[in-house]
Each structure stands twice: as structure tokens, then as C-alpha cells.
Amino acid sequence: MARRSLLVALSVSLPLLAAPRQNVLEYVHEQLGKDSSLTPAQRTALEDAIRERFADYGVNVVKPEQPDDVRTLMHVVSEGTLDDTDPVRIADVAFAAYQAIWRGAPPEAVDGIALYGFQKKIPAASIATWANGYREGVAAGVPDEVMADTVHEAMANNWSDNSFNTVKWALTGAARSGWDTRLYAAHMLAGMRKDPAHPGTLQATLRGKFARGEKLPDPQYRGAFELNPAKPDKSEPPPKEALPPPTPPGHAQPSEHAKPSEPAPEQHTQRLPVRPAPQRPPPPRPKNLPPQPAVWAQLDQAVRSYIGTP
């Protein structure tokens, strides 16, 4: 009887013994082994690069109940291999994403932000700052596409982490004050494009104007959330239809079969009213970043849409 009890106890414990806890490097090795699209040489190069970049983090134990950090790590690796990115660069971005989540940043935001790392080198500390700032802003009532655009502006224009935090707290303060957060953000981000070195001064100026209820002009900001798309001025009368120019002497007159109300295609296109361009267009985006879509409903979805784009 005692022998049977021992056998039962061993049979119950076998599944636990068969699935020992893994560290990060062991987890990566197992997952890469399941990817049939990789050659042995590619797997070896990836594992070597990850082992060197992760250093002591590589022996962190994977928590089955909290797998977001290693799942995001492998997502970054997968996207990097699809784009034929250098293994060392893949390891850098994967480490930045892993470390940010390991320190408490939201996985969804980190996943989206980290994919930008393949186009522009991003320190892990900045990924954590932007990811946490995105979460804090949305939680305070700032529209998610506004926070997404704030992250994009920070990345595209090389803001410091301190500058990003100043803008983030300015936006969350505007949301808590019940102001038009989109309008506030448009003025804040437009001001940062002109003078990125003084976000605190810009914040103080804007806060005073909004607190006094001043009517502010169009900031001419054309970001992801398109606050004020360019529209024709309805106060002006519609343009009159231009008459065809007189026929110069010595040239043949139009055929009597042609109707004046049906001009040639090229004449018709010349008479179409032209939409006026904004008076102060924003500076061009850096060439090493992809253009933004018209509206960013979610940061991670927007960034993933660029995968595979040259």
C-alpha cells in the first residue's frame, strides 16, 4: 500500500518535473527552434546577439503567469527577421522592449513603440518613458490618438525624456481641467516644433490662456489627429467661371460643331477652383520615419500597419 502511494505521488509530480522553469535565454532558444523559416545559421546568429545584449537579464526566470515581457521580445524578433534586420539590431530593440515591460510599462504600448526601434535607435529608458506616458495620459482622459502623436513627435524630433514628461503632464492637466484637450495638444505640439528646448515655458503660457478662456487662433498643426483640416473659406464668393481666351489673329476659329458649354478637357481642368494651402505649413517629417495615418485609433495598430513598408 505504501509503495502504491509512492507511485501515485511520483506520477502526480512528473508533469511538474517535465516542465521546469525557463530563463529568458532558454525560452528564446525553444521558441526559435520552433520557427521553421529560420536556417540554423540564422538561429545561431540571433541567439548569440541576444545572449550578448541581454547579459544578466538573460538568466531572469520567465514567469508563466506574466509572460508579456518574453512574448513581446519574441514578437520584436519575429518582425525583425521578417524585415531581414541585422541580428544585433534585433537584439537591441528586443532588449529595449523586454526591459521596459519588465520595469512595469504596458505591453501594448511597448510593443507598438518598440517596432519603431528598427528605424531609429531608441534607448530602453525612453521606451519605458513613452510607454508609461502613453498609459498615464489615456488614463487621465487624453485621447489615445493625441498621446500616440505625442510619442511620435518625441521620437521624430528627438525630445529628451524630461521634455516628453513635461508635455505629458501638460496634456493630462488640460484633460483634468476640462479644457479642449485636442486644441490644447495642437498648440502644445505646434509650439514644440518651433521651440523644443522650452516645454515648461510653453506649458505655462498655454495654461494661462486656457484658464482665462482666451480665443486662440488656429495653431496650424497637422498631426495624426488632424485638428483643423484645410478647408476653403466659405466667406468668399465662389470663383467665376473663366471665359475662353480670344482666338489670336491668323488662327483658326473653333469648329461650329463645338459647343461653348462643353470646353476641351484641359480648359475645364484649368477652371477648377484651387483649394488654398495653409499659410504656415509644418516642417517636413524626418525621412527616416514613416508618415502617419490620418487618425491613430490605437498606437500599436498604427505602427504595425507600417511593417513591410520600404
Side-chain angles (χ1 to χ4, degrees), residues 221-283:
Y221 178 76
R222 302 293 179 260
F225 53 91
E226 288 290 328
L227 178 69
N228 293 313
K231 297 180 181 179
D233 188 357
K234 295 183 179 180
S235 62
E236 297 181 1
K240 297 181 180 179
E241 185 176 1
L243 296 176
T247 304
H251 287 69
Q253 295 291 332
S255 173
E256 60 182 6
H257 297 289
K259 298 180 181 179
S261 59
E262 298 180 359
E266 57 271 13
Q267 292 177 341
H268 176 71
T269 56
Q270 291 176 0
R271 290 199 294 270
L272 289 177
V274 179
R275 176 177 296 181
Q279 297 180 354
R280 293 175 294 168

Side-chain angles (χ1 to χ4, degrees), residues 114-129:
L115 295 185
Y116 268 134
F118 290 123
Q119 302 202 19
K120 187 172 183 179
K121 292 185 177 181
I122 307 171
S126 293
I127 286 183
T129 297

Side-chain angles (χ1 to χ4, degrees), residues 6-136:
L6 179 60
L7 290 175
V8 172
L10 287 174
S11 65
V12 172
S13 63
L14 279 177
L16 298 177
L17 297 175
R21 302 186 74 176
Q22 296 176 306
N23 63 30
V24 172
L25 296 180
E26 292 169 340
Y27 179 87
V28 170
H29 176 78
E30 179 182 4
Q31 297 302 314
L32 291 178
K34 298 177 182 178
D35 191 346
S36 59
S37 66
L38 296 175
T39 66
Q42 289 175 318
R43 292 193 190 96
T44 300
L46 282 169
E47 288 192 54
D48 289 345
I50 291 173
R51 182 180 299 106
E52 181 177 354
R53 184 66 186 89
F54 274 63
D56 292 342
Y57 282 88
V59 298
N60 285 351
V61 175
V62 176
K63 299 179 181 179
E65 70 279 7
Q66 295 178 335
D68 290 328
D69 49 8
V70 289
R71 285 181 179 174
T72 301
L73 185 165
M74 292 309 303
H75 183 211
V76 172
V77 172
S78 175
E79 296 292 351
T81 54
L82 286 175
D83 287 346
D84 294 325
T85 307
D86 180 73
V88 174
R89 184 69 192 130
I90 293 175
D92 285 341
V93 179
F95 175 73
Y98 172 85
Q99 189 185 56
I101 297 176
W102 188 77
R103 290 178 174 178
E108 296 83 4
V110 172
D111 189 72
I113 295 171
L115 295 185
Y116 268 134
F118 290 123
Q119 302 202 19
K120 187 172 183 179
K121 292 185 177 181
I122 307 171
S126 293
I127 286 183
T129 297
W130 296 338
N132 282 316
Y134 176 86
R135 173 181 56 82
E136 292 165 351

